[in-house]
Structures are given as C-alpha cells and as structure tokens.
Amino acid sequence: MTTEGGDAAAVPGGVLRNHDFRFLFYSTSLSQLGQQVSGLALPLVAVVTLTANEFEVGLLSAMSTVAFLLIGLPAGVWVDRLRYRHVLVSSDLIRAAVLLTVPLAWWLGILTVWQLYVVALLIGVFSVFFDVAYQSYLPRLIGRDHLVEGNAKLETVHSVAQLGGPVAAGQLIAWLTAPVALALDAIAMGLSALFVGRMRHRQPKPEPVPGSQLGTDIAEGLRFVLGNPLLRAIAGATALFNLAFAAYMAMLVFFLPRELGLGAHQIGIVFSVLGIGGLAGALATRRLTLWLGEGPAIWLSMAVTAPFALLLPAAGGGLSVWLGAAGLGVASFGTVVYNVTQVSFRQRLTPDRLLGRMNATMRFLVWGTQPVGALLGGVLGQLYGAEAALWIAAAAACVAFLPVALSPLRRMRKLPDEHPALTNPPVG
C-alpha cells in the first residue's frame, strides 16, 4: 500500500518528527484544553450565575452539539471543496471571538441564558468544520500507514486535556468566575490558530468537479458510509453510545453540584479522572489491537468498560463519589480505545476525495444524536431527578456495543483497507 506524506512520517521517532503533525499536535493541545474549560464553564455559568434549571442545562448541552444535525452533511461537502488548513484557522478564530462575548456581556450585566444558547450553537457549528477538516487532513500529513499512531497521539492530547483541563478550569472558575475563565479559553483558541498557521504543507485548492451539486455530493458520502456493513455497524454503535453519554454528561454537571454538593474545584477533579482513563486508553490502544485484533478491540472496548459508568449515580457522597469517578475513568479508557481503532480504520478505508464527506457523514450520524441525548437527559432530569436520569443513560450506554458485536467485524483481526463498493463496481 502506498503512503502519502510517507517521507515525513517515516523519520525515526514517529509522527512527532513530522513538522506539520507537530504543529497540529500543538494546536490541538491548546484547542482541547480550551474546550475543556468552556465545556465546564458554560454550564456552570448557567447553573451558578444564572440559576438555570435541569431542562435549561440540558438544552444548553443540546445547543452545543445540534450543529452536527443542522450542517453535518453539507459541512463535509464544503470542507472537501476548501483547503483544510484555512478551515482550521478560520474555525479557531471565529470560536475565539464568540467566546469573548460571554465575559463581555457578564461584565456589562446583560448576560442571559439565551446568549449562552447562541454561543453554544456557534461554537458547535465551527467545531463541526474544525473536526471534519483535521480528520480529513491527517492522512495527507502523515500517510495512511501511520494513522493509528497519529490518532493515538491526538487522543493522548485529548485525554491529557481531560486530565488537566477540568482541574484547571475548576480552579480558574473558583478564582476568577466562570465568565472570566471563558476569556482565557478564547485566548487559547487564538493561539491554536497561530500554530496551524505555522504548518508548511500547502494543499492545492481542490479542483471543482463539473456538474457537482451539493445534494449529489452529500448522497455520495451517505452511500459510501451506509453501503459498507462495517461502517454502518460502527455508526449505529457510536450513535447509541453518544446519545446515552450526552444525556449522562448533561445531568452529571447538574448532579455533582446540586445533589452531591461538590464545588467547582472538586467537579474539575471528577472530570479529570476521565482524562486519566482516556490517556491510559490512548497509550494501550496499539497493544490491545495487536493482542485482540482490530475488530474485537472495537466491540470489546465498549462492552467491557461502559458498565462502570453506573458507579457514579450509585454514589451517596464521601468516598463513593471518588469510586464513581474511577468508574468514569474506566469507561473513558474503553471509549478512547474504541475511537482510535475505528477512526483510524475509517480514514484508512476512504479515498482522499471522499475524506471530508465520510467524516462529516459519520459525524452527522454519530454526533447528531448528542443534542437529542442532552435534551432527553434534561427532560428525564426535570421529570425524575438528575440521579434517575444518570441511571437510565448509563444503562443505555451498556448496550451500545451490540451493533458492532453483531456485525462481521467482531471476529476480524485485520480490518480491510479498501471499500468493496470501490474495488468491486457493479456489473452491467
């Protein structure tokens, strides 16, 4: 199999010796750290500063991910028509500007929950473009043979940000208040854009395809994903897990301060345990896939670890809270192993011209369930209480592995490198 960008990736020392990947790594580090701050600060602004109720917090969480439903599919077409680097820089700068409006409105005394909804929506929109662009750019930067290593490094960044970000965010919020912490988040996004600007790779502007139309291009991406039984199973399992996890996280940020009485710093520590588990998962993924095989690693990583999320709603305070947090760390370990393995497989399988559409289609299918889940979590919390909502969401996460466990990949030690629809065109 040929490898694009293989000269940079093949330097001894791994993908971090690749200049452009290194700056993408730096950029992602800052961006992920900033997202951890805003992910905790925005709902705490709603809960603490604006005294929002369960439904309003669930709606705020839904607004942060509803963009995947609204623009997920066309975003892939647009990204495929643009230079990925330009998309990354623009997305970071716009998100920075939007975040700055929160501390400004708070300082002027005009901040409302409706502004938080708009901010969450806009951050979500440009996160769609950023995520689709970077996942599509990665094979060009490091080559397809190095995708597992590259994705594992980026998941390590995400996990380290989860580890240190919530603790830092909790401390910043305790010292400076949540709105001011968002201003620092905006600065991190701006620095992330500067690092992307230092990348040397200059992708030529994609040539327009004669007769290409938005609807036709979207349909091609959908056919590519839904026409492959392995991608279809991965989409189903991930969509169900994200639905459950979004409901869980929407109520967790309400459950911890209101029902367990934890302060911002303690909440940050609970969330940082997710990062510990994720970091361990990123470091273990390669060995686990070699030991179990790629297909079994995908479904077992979810099936074995998701039930540990049940420990936190069972906590009644004191030491049991930290046991529940450790359970979240185990669930995070499995989630990262699952993500690194299936994302690398998807990128390896997809030809360059379809990378944006494949990633956007998958994001639409699997992240589009997040706003529904967050809103559902808010409704369940309003009706039955946050603790009951956590139990229901965790139980749903426990069965999310079934679509992949019941698919052909459950026994496939090595997943294919080419889409059968492209290598075996229909006859006649």
Side-chain angles (χ1 to χ4, degrees):
M1 181 173 59
T2 59
T3 303
E4 289 185 307
D7 54 340
V11 175
V15 293
L16 282 175
R17 291 294 186 92
N18 180 323
H19 174 276
D20 287 341
F21 179 82
R22 194 162 61 248
F23 276 91
L24 179 65
F25 183 87
Y26 297 154
S27 169
T28 304
S29 300
L30 280 171
S31 182
Q32 291 286 349
L33 183 62
Q35 286 182 42
Q36 292 300 318
V37 173
S38 62
L40 185 58
L42 268 179
L44 283 181
V45 169
V47 172
V48 177
T49 305
L50 302 178
T51 62
N53 61 33
E54 289 96 333
F55 179 76
E56 288 171 326
V57 172
L59 183 58
L60 178 62
S61 296
M63 294 299 288
S64 67
T65 51
V66 74
F68 289 99
L69 281 177
L70 298 178
I71 65 162
L73 291 175
V77 177
W78 294 327
V79 167
D80 275 338
R81 295 176 180 178
L82 299 169
R83 293 182 174 94
Y84 299 140
R85 180 171 163 274
H86 292 177
V87 176
L88 295 174
V89 171
S90 300
S91 298
D92 267 340
L93 292 178
I94 293 171
R95 288 187 293 178
V98 170
L99 281 170
L100 282 174
T101 67
V102 176
L104 180 61
W106 172 75
W107 181 65
L108 294 173
I110 58 174
L111 182 64
T112 67
V113 72
W114 294 102
Q115 180 179 342
L116 295 185
Y117 293 155
V118 174
V119 168
L121 175 63
L122 291 175
I123 294 296
V125 166
F126 289 98
S127 292
V128 171
F129 283 99
F130 185 93
D131 291 346
V132 170
Y134 104 76
Q135 285 196 341
S136 304
Y137 206 6
L138 192 61
R140 291 178 179 268
L141 294 180
I142 63 174
R144 295 173 189 271
D145 290 341
H146 302 275
L147 285 172
V148 171
E149 182 187 358
N151 281 310
K153 291 285 193 299
L154 294 176
E155 281 290 345
T156 300
V157 167
H158 178 68
S159 298
V160 170
Q162 279 190 318
L163 173 59
V167 175
Q171 196 61 61
L172 285 172
I173 291 166
W175 285 343
L176 305 173
T177 72
V180 176
L182 289 172
L184 297 180
D185 183 11
I187 294 171
M189 291 287 185
L191 292 173
S192 171
L194 288 177
F195 280 124
V196 175
R198 293 288 306 277
M199 293 166 65
R200 295 171 183 163
H201 183 272
R202 294 297 182 267
Q203 174 193 359
K205 186 175 181 180
E207 293 292 332
V209 178
S212 176
Q213 296 181 348
L214 181 63
T216 303
D217 288 348
I218 288 174
E220 187 177 11
L222 282 167
R223 283 195 304 271
F224 181 84
V225 171
L226 297 179
N228 184 298
L230 303 183
L231 293 180
R232 200 163 58 236
I234 288 170
T238 313
L240 178 56
F241 183 84
N242 285 349
L243 176 79
F245 195 67
Y248 191 96
M249 296 304 290
M251 285 301 94
L252 186 62
V253 78
F254 194 93
F255 177 73
L256 295 176
R258 291 281 179 90
E259 299 197 19
L260 294 185
L262 300 189
H265 182 63
Q266 292 170 308
I267 294 171
I269 295 173
V270 171
F271 276 74
S272 73
V273 177
L274 286 165
I276 295 174
L279 178 59
L283 296 174
T285 297
R286 177 173 286 186
R287 289 184 179 179
L288 281 175
T289 54
L290 289 174
W291 177 44
L292 297 171
E294 291 177 321
I298 288 176
W299 75 268
L300 284 171
S301 59
M302 186 183 291
V304 173
T305 63
F308 284 86
L310 293 164
L311 292 175
L312 198 52
L319 185 62
S320 62
V321 173
W322 306 111
L323 181 62
L328 280 185
V330 174
S332 178
F333 175 94
T335 300
V336 169
V337 173
Y338 175 87
N339 280 336
V340 171
T341 309
Q342 60 93 3
V343 168
S344 300
F345 163 58
R346 284 161 34 194
Q347 291 169 327
R348 197 176 68 214
L349 186 75
T350 308
D352 286 346
R353 69 180 187 85
L354 285 172
L355 276 168
R357 275 168 284 175
M358 179 278 294
N359 284 316
T361 299
M362 289 296 292
R363 289 282 169 132
F364 171 79
L365 295 172
V366 306
W367 283 45
T369 60
Q370 287 194 339
V372 180
L375 194 58
L376 181 61
V379 171
L380 290 171
Q382 190 75 23
L383 292 175
Y384 307 113
E387 181 181 332
L390 289 175
W391 278 109
I392 295 169
C398 290
V399 299
F401 73 96
L402 289 175
V404 284
L406 298 176
S407 76
L409 65 72
R410 71 181 180 277
R411 295 179 180 173
M412 297 174 68
R413 290 194 58 83
K414 180 71 170 70
L415 296 177
D417 293 336
E418 293 181 312
H419 196 299
L422 299 176
T423 56
N424 300 300
V427 178

